[in-house]
Amino acid sequence: MTRILDESPLLPIHYRIWALSTGGTLLSGVSMFLLGVTLPLIIPIFAMPATSIGLAAAMLMGGTVVGALIGGHLADHLGRKPVMVMDMILLMIAALLTALAPDARVLIGAELLVGVGIGMDFPVGSSYLAEFMPQGRRGRMMAASIAVQSVGMLAGAGFALVLLQGAHSGDNTWRWLLAAEALLVLPYLLGRLTLPESARWCMGRGHNAEAARILERIVPRQKAMLDAMAQRLGKKIHHVAKIRPGRHMGIRTLFSPEYRRRTLLVTLPWFFMDVATYGVGLFTTILLGTMRNGENVGIIGVVGRDLSNALDSGKVDIFLLLGSLLSLWMVPWLGRIHMQMIGFGGMTLGMGLLYFATELAGSTAAHPQLILSGFMVFNLFMTAGPNATTFILPTEMYPTQVRAFSAGFAAAVAKIGATISVFLLPVIQSALGVTVILLLMGTVSLLGLVLTYNFRVQGRGLTLEEHHGPALPQ
């Protein structure tokens, strides 16, 4: 049955599965951008102190940690489809709560729920997609899935630019901005109701008759053969792993001798990538804002400054999308490991350019082109390499029975890095300055490269099941 999945051409059902699996990645981009845009509008309305501002961003990130662990665990036990529907319902409720929040406490709590919903969707959506895609197209389709995160950030920028044009200080524009998230959730929720369960998950649980019915949607002319195969297999569990059948599979599997190297590969580089990515994202507006020092931009007031920041961030975020598009070609061509190392190298170079720009003549405002180049290089290489590969690798490194949990564990570790970055870096910047932050971001990018090389597992061109055969050469 797995051969049918691996050798199938790309059919309309594959594109539909891909489109509906991108909910978490799209909404993560939208929610990050819109929170950054709306906070300056909300702060004076709710009289939010600095601690509440940091807490709102930290709750969004921290919620993804909790959600990734919960979503992965539930998806391995209940199935992929129920969790994919469940997390969209949660996101719909949470997005509406943020838009209707009467005070800062409700807003912070709602952002936590948004984070939980997004975190739940990351491991289940990626596992579901990996389990359906043909072997030769899996890398490209999964790279395209995480690329939608950049589309989400640009969509958030689009909503912000449209709604802020006619906004006034103290009005309810921020509510409409946050309500836009609920609008984006709805088509995913309705579309997922009609999706099939993952055939691989069914086989891994011994539901071979259900798996056969699902595969009939891919090869309808082979219905008789699939029915006969399902009858022959009965309730036999499809188990392909480096550990014995019947052994308890869970967190112990991830750190067993057979999978420990893979766990270090999929968690540590992703952790450092998120520290750098969210750290740089946090200071993008600060650094770009210094380029306008002394210029008469003709914009005054809270709304005007917010609109200007949205424009600047939107320009830089274009290179996130360009890098994501580049990953569709580069990741399948060079392989996951090589592209991850190249990407971390480019991120380190981008931070080096920004550090040089801020140190040169002691003035960021004097070197806008160099600053822009640093952001461009960082964003381009980050999304072309690690942003795609860290999303793909956890779905390939583990067997079906723990695939979603493992992807959720890796995502949770990464989002811990993001939470630390969002919460602590403003404190470090206030005490030590922006140049120290840039040095830190360059260092963690370099660590990502070194750790990827050290724990690399080469599995290019293998099916999901072949990844768990004899030990692979390094």
Side-chain angles (χ1 to χ4, degrees):
M1 289 188 182
T2 58
R3 181 175 295 179
I4 293 173
L5 290 167
D6 290 327
E7 297 180 357
S8 170
L10 277 178
L11 302 170
I13 189 173
H14 289 112
Y15 288 107
R16 184 164 172 268
I17 286 169
W18 172 84
L20 292 172
S21 297
T22 61
T25 54
L26 178 81
L27 291 163
S28 67
V30 171
S31 63
M32 284 187 295
F33 193 96
L34 290 182
L35 180 61
V37 170
T38 54
L39 273 178
L41 305 178
I42 298 169
I43 291 168
I45 296 173
F46 288 161
M48 293 173 68
T51 52
S52 294
I53 298 167
L55 197 58
M59 285 297 101
L60 179 61
M61 293 297 101
T64 61
V65 177
V66 177
L69 292 173
I70 294 173
H73 176 76
L74 290 176
D76 281 336
H77 287 81
L78 302 179
R80 313 309 193 208
K81 179 181 175 178
V83 181
M84 290 175 73
V85 172
M86 191 187 311
D87 61 47
M88 286 297 116
I89 293 173
L90 176 59
L91 274 169
M92 176 70 75
I93 295 170
L96 291 174
L97 275 175
T98 62
L100 298 173
D103 54 45
R105 286 181 298 178
V106 174
L107 177 68
I108 291 169
E111 287 295 342
L112 174 65
L113 291 179
V114 171
V116 171
I118 290 170
M120 287 179 67
D121 203 70
F122 258 73
V124 63
S126 61
S127 298
Y128 183 78
L129 186 61
E131 289 168 356
F132 262 111
M133 288 300 113
Q135 184 270 324
R137 301 294 184 90
R138 189 175 65 245
R140 180 167 284 113
M141 296 301 283
M142 293 198 68
S145 178
I146 192 63
V148 174
Q149 188 176 48
S150 301
V151 176
M153 295 188 76
L154 291 173
F159 279 119
L161 294 175
V162 170
L163 292 175
L164 288 172
Q165 292 286 346
H168 301 284
S169 182
D171 68 9
N172 286 327
T173 300
W174 67 272
R175 295 189 186 276
W176 291 106
L177 281 167
L178 294 177
E181 294 180 40
L183 184 66
L184 291 172
V185 171
L186 187 59
Y188 283 104
L189 174 59
L190 296 177
R192 288 180 175 190
L193 292 173
T194 59
L195 283 177
E197 181 53 86
S198 164
R200 274 189 165 95
W201 181 85
C202 291
M203 290 183 280
R205 305 291 288 188
H207 305 158
N208 294 302
E210 184 180 355
R213 287 195 297 272
I214 294 166
L215 290 175
E216 287 174 14
R217 299 175 67 168
I218 297 175
V219 284
R221 295 181 181 178
Q222 298 184 32
K223 182 180 184 304
M225 182 270 289
L226 286 168
D227 289 342
M229 188 181 298
Q231 187 174 5
R232 185 175 70 253
L233 291 172
K235 295 185 180 298
K236 184 178 179 180
I237 292 174
H238 184 257
H239 181 98
V240 181
K242 291 180 177 293
I243 60 176
R244 298 188 308 274
R247 180 173 170 178
H248 177 72
M249 301 187 79
I251 188 68
R252 286 185 293 177
T253 304
L254 275 62
F255 292 96
S256 65
E258 298 87 349
Y259 286 101
R260 189 179 301 128
R261 181 189 184 94
R262 293 167 178 241
T263 299
L264 294 172
L265 171 67
V266 303
T267 53
L268 295 181
W270 198 355
F271 173 88
F272 285 116
M273 188 205 74
D274 270 17
V275 170
T277 299
Y278 286 86
V280 171
L282 188 64
F283 289 96
T284 297
T285 303
I286 294 173
L287 287 172
L288 288 176
T290 62
M291 291 162 50
R292 295 194 309 269
N293 286 349
E295 294 179 13
N296 179 15
V297 294
I299 300 176
I300 59 174
V302 174
V303 174
R305 287 195 301 271
D306 204 40
L307 177 57
S308 183
N309 289 342
L311 283 166
D312 280 342
S313 298
K315 292 174 186 176
V316 170
D317 289 346
I318 290 174
F319 289 91
L320 296 174
L321 180 59
L322 291 176
S324 297
L325 295 175
L326 188 62
S327 73
L328 304 184
W329 173 60
M330 297 294 289
V331 171
W333 179 47
L334 294 177
R336 282 62 152 159
I337 300 299
H338 288 140
M339 200 58 215
Q340 185 159 304
M341 290 191 292
I342 291 169
F344 274 123
M347 290 166 63
T348 306
L349 175 61
M351 287 299 95
L353 290 173
L354 282 173
Y355 177 78
F356 181 67
T358 56
E359 286 293 292
L360 193 62
S363 171
T364 55
H367 306 283
Q369 297 306 316
L370 193 55
I371 291 174
L372 280 175
S373 297
F375 280 118
M376 288 160 52
V377 169
F378 180 91
N379 285 347
L380 189 70
F381 278 89
M382 183 270 291
T383 50
N387 194 57
T389 56
T390 54
F391 180 75
I392 297 170
L393 284 171
T395 66
E396 299 178 333
M397 293 289 108
Y398 302 95
T400 299
Q401 282 81 359
V402 290
R403 179 169 291 119
F405 173 74
S406 305
F409 180 80
V413 171
K415 298 313 172 189
I416 289 172
T419 305
I420 291 171
S421 186
V422 169
F423 195 71
L424 291 183
L425 288 185
V427 178
I428 298 173
Q429 186 268 334
S430 178
L432 301 174
V434 171
T435 54
V436 173
I437 295 294
L438 297 176
L439 280 175
L440 285 173
M441 297 303 95
T443 300
V444 297
S445 298
L446 185 60
L447 278 171
L449 190 160
V450 171
L451 290 167
T452 300
Y453 178 80
N454 191 50
F455 297 117
R456 66 195 184 280
V457 174
Q458 301 291 0
R460 184 180 177 187
L462 300 181
T463 67
L464 293 180
E465 284 68 38
E466 287 170 344
H467 269 279
H468 307 286
L472 298 171
Q474 302 309 314

